Amino acid sequence: MQEKYNVTGMSCAACSSRVEKAVSALPGMKECSVNLLKNSMVVNYDDQTLTGADIIQAVEKAGYGASLQTGGQKKASSATAQSASAIAAKKEYESMKRRVIWSFVFTVPLFYLSMGHMMGWPLPDIFLGTENSMIYAFTLFLLLIPVVLINFKYYRVGFKTLIHRSPNMDSLIALGSGASLAYGIYALYKISFGLGHGDIAMVHQFSHDLYFEGAGTILTLITLGKFFEARAKGRTSDAINKLLNLAPKTATVIRDGVESTIPVEELEKGDILIVKAGESIPVDGILMEGSASIDESAITGESIPVDKQAGDKVIGATVNKSGYFKMQATKVGDETALAQIIRLVDEATSSKAPIAKLADKVAGVFVPIVITIAIVSAVVWMILGASFEFALTIAVSVLVVSCPCALGLATPTAIMVGTGRGATNGILIKSAEALETAHSIQTVVMDKTGTITQGKPMVTDIVCEPKVSEARLLQVAASLEKLSEHPLGHAIVEEAENHQIAYLAVQNFQQIPGQGIKGTIDGVEYLAGNQKMMDAFSIHDPALEQLQDKMASDGKTPLYFAEGGRLLGMIAVADVVKPTSRQAVKELQAMGIEVVMLTGDHKKTAEAIRRQVGVDRVIAEVLPQDKEEEIRRIQENGKKTAMVGDGINDAPALARADVGIAIGAGTDIAMESADIVLMKNDLLDVAGAIELSKATIRNIKENLFWAFFYNAICIPVAAGCFYTAFGLKMNPMVAALAMSFSSVFVVSNALRLRFFKPKHGSAAASDNTATDTKPFTVTHTTIAEHVSSEEPSTREALPQEDCCQNKTKQNSGGITMKKQLSVEGMMCQNCVKHVKKALEAIEGATDVVVSLEDKTATVCVPESVTDEMLTAAVTEEGYEVTGVQTIA
């Protein structure tokens, strides 16, 4: 029997290990997995031998709390359970926030008052002088009491785990701060005794031996680190909540001949549903009547919409882009593909073992050793004839100087600075675990659509029949496709708009399901569609078949256009590779990392992309659960794996991977499921994130080395090992100062990460203008030329008369020059339009062509227009001109 429990009271890896160990020891327990980040536990046990009450009792006996997560099979109850989890995480975060604020409210005056005597800071007269020692000491004690009460959880959990012989970081905190508090109270009594008996020397001595500020500082600084951890925990359930909200809440159903709208939860298998254009499909089913173009990118990752006809399967949560159809529900509730994705995300997140911090690993050994040293030191000195105060001072000094303030700050401070530096470079790291794990990544798995590629169709080739101009072909194609709702048609329309081509009036427009569209222009019938459509209308060309295979092998989708039964040409559309994808793959491989491409697309398309970007291997035609299985398979081979994706279909794989990396331009769900988000939408930042992780881990190790080295030096001194020979010993005040110094050193070392600059990544690449990455460019040629040439010539514009031949053509009585500008900062077609508009606004400028791929702008201008004028026009639009040259 498998069940999931909420576990409370865990604060570190030692806690989760303790709970897992206690539950795993129960008879009949088959498997137990505790997730520290989600404060949850998944168990698989024999219900004939064991009960839920036994499991809860075992957790409570280990010093923690447990409760069974409620939730049935219905989607509504699942959503309620996830919502409750999110609310609990938010409450924990708000609680930690209040604890931090109020701890500082009392610790700051406590520290100022206690250190004011030594530092010469201005203090009220009431706190100065031996006669006011009790007022001074009691005020410090009163300031410490709220800090102790606010953070009493450390004492409760720390001493409980100590009693159960499983000490953790809380045990170290409780012992260190508790020793300072206990000795301070002892000093209060000595001051009172001294004042009552006129022993001014005793009063003076113990006025400087209070150490209340040590206890307060320890608790407050550690709580600050816990606050940052709680902030990361608050985001863990958002991904599943957004997945639950992805599917439509209602569905249009036909029952007993009556059409009505009902909640999706009330749907049953066999129901007949109606889905209109623009609506999401409620559940999985079979298309019964009508046709549609379905955007399945949310589930399959396929960027090109799929045409569906009667008998085809449709998937819930996908979108009907065009068409009207009736469908029969075959899978509802938890059986749908979306529900399975939700389950995979939840399971992967729950089973991901938390990374045990090095400080937590050594706590079980470090604490008993420190306690033993403190007790043995006190006993030995008393045996040697020392006073009780001397022996107690030695014991407290050992405990205070060993307090894990530096040990506790070593990891969170470095991670805090590292994540801040990552954000500066556009790398959003959502958890400490991700930053720690990324340095050991051996395999990076990348999704294709929207990650390696742009994620939307773009025109790549324009191929014409002889005597047909490219301008004419694009004009006809755009005029027809403008009336279509198909995304492939939108790509052609966008290409035409980029070249400012006018549309023609189309009559008798008609869509032919599974083939294409047709219409009449100036009384002539025009066709636009796939090869099936050309065959259906008996339009043949000797090169058509060869051209079809060539396009498919390059991962392109060809659309054919015909006029009056005669072929005009072909326009190919594809999801093109991003400019930096190839360079990103090369940099990861240079770091010794294997790069794998994982996609739901066809094998031919995937292989074409593989050749372009150079990944080590490719796995195509995979569903979301297959992606998650691939990640699992790589992990089972002992490799640390990172998954890079942008879609909803990537969510299970992102959650399963050791580190999930989402592209910033991707869906909110992918970003929530991931551990790292690349805000610049640049794959180069994957290498930058791994490099940042390595720098942070190196810094953490330096901090931990100092923390332990400091203890190795200071503990023998505090124990009085050198007192007999050299008169050298450490009183608790000096021990507290030494402890504070170690913390300052650790924090200062962590702050060095602020100067980190990645050698790889988009930030580094921006300094290098040279690049060997170039995506598809629009190719213009005839069908015969395209088939016969393996390397067809490429141009970035439609054919037109070159007004700038040899720089000497006369234009209105003057010489016209052809200039090419190198432009940085263009990221999309909107940027292209801005640059083009700026150059066209220059008086006399003609034939402006802007290439996003090559980052260039070509323009013909009168001789009177200077390079500075061109540069200024582009710069005013917010883009950088890195060079201007005259083209012969």
Side-chain angles (χ1 to χ4, degrees):
M1 184 174 182
Q2 182 168 315
E3 290 179 335
K4 191 172 183 179
Y5 290 80
N6 293 319
V7 181
T8 59
M10 297 190 298
S11 60
C12 66
C15 296
S16 60
S17 297
R18 173 64 182 170
V19 173
E20 194 167 306
K21 184 179 179 181
V23 175
S24 298
L26 293 172
M29 180 60 61
K30 299 176 182 178
E31 186 179 359
C32 175
S33 176
V34 179
N35 188 298
L36 174 64
L37 190 63
K38 295 181 68 178
N39 291 319
S40 66
M41 174 179 66
V42 177
V43 295
N44 189 356
Y45 64 94
D46 181 3
D47 56 0
Q48 300 296 322
T49 308
L50 201 58
T51 65
D54 295 331
I55 295 172
I56 293 174
Q57 186 179 1
V59 175
E60 291 176 347
K61 189 176 180 181
Y64 306 91
S67 60
L68 180 65
Q69 282 193 7
T70 58
Q73 297 298 316
K74 292 185 178 180
K75 179 175 177 284
S77 62
S78 299
T80 303
Q82 292 299 330
S83 177
S85 176
I87 292 173
K90 185 176 181 180
K91 284 184 177 180
E92 181 186 358
Y93 169 74
E94 293 297 333
S95 174
M96 290 301 303
K97 185 177 180 180
R98 288 193 296 270
R99 283 174 58 185
V100 167
I101 292 173
W102 284 108
S103 293
F104 271 101
V105 165
F106 291 101
T107 301
V108 170
L110 170 64
F111 186 82
Y112 182 88
L113 189 60
S114 62
M115 301 301 290
H117 293 83
M118 296 179 58
M119 307 301 293
W121 296 335
L123 292 172
D125 292 339
I126 196 171
F127 298 119
L128 302 175
T130 306
E131 65 278 7
N132 293 319
S133 294
M134 195 58 193
I135 297 175
Y136 164 74
F138 195 66
T139 302
L140 294 181
F141 179 64
L142 290 177
L143 287 171
L144 176 62
I145 288 175
V147 180
V148 171
L149 293 177
I150 291 168
N151 300 287
F152 193 74
K153 178 182 177 181
Y154 295 129
Y155 296 98
R156 185 176 65 253
V157 176
F159 286 118
K160 184 182 289 186
T161 55
L162 196 61
I163 293 171
H164 288 95
R165 294 179 295 178
S166 56
N168 59 4
M169 186 65 79
D170 288 345
S171 303
L172 293 166
I173 297 166
L175 281 172
S177 60
S180 296
L181 173 61
Y183 189 84
I185 294 174
Y186 173 76
L188 277 177
Y189 281 97
K190 297 297 287 187
I191 291 172
S192 299
F193 183 86
L195 287 172
H197 293 78
D199 191 344
I200 302 302
M202 179 182 292
V203 173
H204 185 270
Q205 175 190 346
F206 283 97
S207 294
H208 290 83
D209 289 347
L210 289 167
Y211 316 128
F212 287 135
E213 83 288 347
T217 302
I218 291 167
L219 294 171
T220 301
L221 290 179
I222 296 298
T223 300
L224 180 62
K226 298 289 185 182
F227 165 72
F228 289 113
E229 293 177 15
R231 185 171 62 177
K233 287 184 179 181
R235 302 171 182 168
T236 56
S237 58
D238 289 348
I240 296 177
N241 288 333
K242 289 189 177 182
L243 279 171
L244 288 167
N245 295 325
L246 182 65
K249 302 295 183 292
T250 60
T252 304
V253 62
I254 299 177
R255 289 178 177 173
D256 299 326
V258 179
E259 183 178 318
S260 60
T261 301
I262 64 173
V264 172
E265 291 82 8
E266 296 180 9
L267 287 177
E268 299 177 358
K269 288 184 181 180
D271 278 340
I272 304 299
L273 312 177
I274 293 176
V275 182
K276 302 174 184 178
E279 293 182 347
S280 294
I281 298 173
V283 293
D284 297 0
I286 297 177
L287 195 150
M288 305 293 292
E289 181 182 324
S291 63
S293 178
I294 308 296
D295 179 3
E296 296 184 343
S297 58
I299 302 297
T300 67
E302 171 61 66
S303 57
I304 307 298
V306 181
D307 293 325
K308 299 284 187 178
Q309 299 179 13
D312 292 338
K313 292 182 179 180
V314 291
I315 306 172
T318 57
V319 180
N320 179 14
K321 302 295 288 187
S322 64
Y324 170 96
F325 64 89
K326 293 181 180 179
M327 61 170 284
Q328 183 180 36
T330 57
K331 293 181 179 180
V332 297
D334 285 352
E335 297 177 349
T336 64
L338 178 64
Q340 291 177 23
I341 291 176
I342 293 172
R343 178 180 55 79
L344 286 170
V345 173
D346 189 33
E347 287 181 359
T349 307
S350 299
S351 62
K352 184 186 293 181
I355 300 170
K357 304 291 191 296
L358 181 57
D360 291 322
K361 288 181 178 180
V362 303
V365 177
F366 185 65
V367 175
I369 291 177
V370 170
I371 296 173
T372 302
I373 292 174
I375 295 174
V376 169
S377 299
V379 171
V380 168
W381 279 110
M382 291 184 68
I383 291 174
L384 294 176
S387 65
F388 173 76
E389 287 83 359
F390 183 90
L392 182 60
T393 300
I394 289 291
V396 172
S397 295
V398 170
L399 290 173
V400 171
V401 83
S402 303
C403 184
C405 212
L407 199 61
L409 291 171
T411 298
T413 50
I415 286 174
M416 184 173 63
V417 179
T419 52
R421 188 58 187 166
T424 302
N425 290 304
I427 302 170
L428 178 60
I429 301 168
K430 296 170 59 181
S431 69
E433 286 78 9
L435 189 59
E436 286 181 316
T437 306
H439 83 286
S440 59
I441 292 300
Q442 298 164 290
T443 301
V444 171
V445 181
M446 295 182 178
D447 174 50
K448 179 185 76 69
T449 306
T451 302
I452 293 178
T453 65
Q454 297 283 8
K456 69 173 185 175
M458 296 178 66
V459 172
T460 61
D461 298 81
I462 300 177
V463 185
C464 303
E465 282 284 1
K467 299 182 181 180
V468 178
S469 71
E470 294 166 358
R472 172 64 176 170
L473 173 60
L474 192 56
Q475 185 180 44
V476 169
S479 299
L480 291 168
E481 296 292 356
K482 187 171 178 61
L483 302 178
S484 170
E485 299 172 334
H486 203 286
L488 295 183
H490 293 172
I492 294 175
V493 171
E494 185 177 350
E495 180 71 14
E497 289 179 349
N498 289 340
H499 294 287
Q500 298 181 337
I501 289 178
Y503 298 109
L504 300 172
V506 178
Q507 290 85 34
N508 303 322
F509 178 81
Q510 182 181 350
Q511 289 186 331
I512 303 176
Q515 295 184 9
I517 57 178
K518 68 178 182 177
T520 304
I521 300 175
D522 295 332
V524 180
E525 185 179 68
Y526 287 84
L527 305 176
N530 54 26
Q531 190 172 355
K532 287 182 181 179
M533 189 175 198
M534 298 298 107
D535 292 339
F537 284 85
S538 300
I539 298 175
H540 299 287
D541 186 281
L544 266 181
E545 233 175 90
Q546 191 175 353
L547 186 58
Q548 169 84 13
D549 294 339
K550 183 177 177 62
M551 290 293 134
S553 65
D554 289 338
K556 305 174 184 178
T557 302
L559 297 176
Y560 301 99
F561 299 88
E563 174 189 37
R566 179 178 66 92
L567 188 68
L568 289 176
M570 181 276 296
I571 297 178
V573 179
D575 184 10
V576 301
V577 172
K578 293 179 181 177
T580 58
S581 292
R582 182 173 179 83
Q583 184 182 348
V585 170
K586 277 188 173 182
E587 291 193 358
L588 288 169
Q589 291 170 336
M591 297 170 70
I593 297 173
E594 179 190 23
V595 183
V596 179
M597 184 174 76
L598 209 56
T599 177
D601 218 334
H602 301 296
K603 289 183 179 179
K604 283 187 176 181
T605 303
E607 182 61 25
I609 301 298
R610 186 199 67 78
R611 291 196 302 268
Q612 291 180 60
V613 298
V615 297
D616 295 304
R617 60 190 178 98
V618 61
I619 303 171
E621 299 179 2
V622 292
L623 296 175
Q625 56 266 34
D626 297 325
K627 290 185 178 184
E628 190 264 351
E629 280 293 332
E630 271 304 316
I631 298 295
R632 190 198 300 267
R633 192 174 295 115
I634 294 172
Q635 290 174 326
E636 287 173 353
N637 291 331
K639 291 186 176 181
K640 290 283 186 180
T641 306
M643 172 67 192
V644 187
D646 75 316
I648 296 166
N649 60 296
D650 300 320
L654 288 169
R656 170 62 61 188
D658 295 287
V659 178
I661 303 176
I663 297 296
T667 65
D668 290 341
I669 294 167
M671 293 171 66
E672 292 296 344
S673 298
D675 304 300
I676 298 175
V677 179
L678 307 182
M679 302 305 295
K680 295 182 181 178
N681 196 22
D682 196 328
L683 274 181
L684 285 171
D685 284 332
V686 175
I690 294 174
E691 190 179 353
L692 175 62
S693 172
K694 290 182 177 181
T696 305
I697 292 300
R698 184 165 56 248
N699 190 280
I700 290 173
K701 289 180 178 179
E702 292 169 354
N703 288 346
L704 291 174
F705 168 78
W706 167 255
F708 287 113
F709 176 76
Y710 142 84
N711 281 319
I713 296 298
C714 292
I715 289 177
V717 177
C721 295
F722 306 104
Y723 182 72
T724 303
F726 305 103
L728 183 63
K729 87 176 186 72
M730 184 183 294
N731 65 38
M733 173 57 78
V734 176
L737 288 174
M739 181 272 294
S740 300
F741 172 75
S742 69
S743 302
V744 171
F745 183 91
V746 164
V747 172
S748 300
N749 186 50
L751 290 176
R752 292 191 304 110
L753 283 172
R754 292 185 301 173
F755 306 105
F756 167 81
K757 186 175 182 180
K759 296 177 182 177
H760 307 88
S762 59
S766 63
D767 297 332
N768 184 8
T769 57
T771 178
D772 61 355
T773 60
K774 187 176 181 180
F776 283 122
T777 56
V778 182
T779 302
H780 309 266
T781 182
T782 65
I783 289 182
E785 290 171 340
H786 203 292
V787 172
S788 62
S789 173
E790 293 185 2
E791 296 292 338
S793 58
T794 62
R795 290 187 287 121
E796 307 305 332
L798 293 174
Q800 52 192 315
E801 181 185 1
D802 188 355
C803 68
C804 309
Q805 291 177 1
N806 298 323
K807 303 185 293 180
T808 58
K809 181 161 182 174
Q810 299 298 317
N811 183 13
S812 302
I815 297 177
T816 301
M817 314 288 287
K818 188 171 185 179
K819 302 280 188 176
Q820 186 178 71
L821 293 74
S822 298
V823 184
E824 292 292 334
M826 295 188 297
M827 302 295 292
C828 63
Q829 291 300 328
N830 284 328
C831 299
V832 170
K833 291 178 182 178
H834 288 312
V835 174
K836 186 175 183 179
K837 186 177 180 181
L839 292 174
E840 288 175 339
I842 297 175
E843 186 175 357
T846 60
D847 302 315
V848 179
V849 178
V850 182
S851 171
L852 175 63
E853 293 81 12
D854 292 339
K855 298 183 179 179
T856 61
T858 305
V859 58
C860 296
V861 294
E863 192 177 24
S864 58
V865 177
T866 64
D867 293 352
E868 289 74 17
M869 294 170 64
L870 294 171
T871 301
V874 176
T875 304
E876 284 180 5
E877 291 295 322
Y879 304 95
E880 180 184 358
V881 177
T882 58
V884 181
Q885 60 178 331
T886 302
I887 301 177

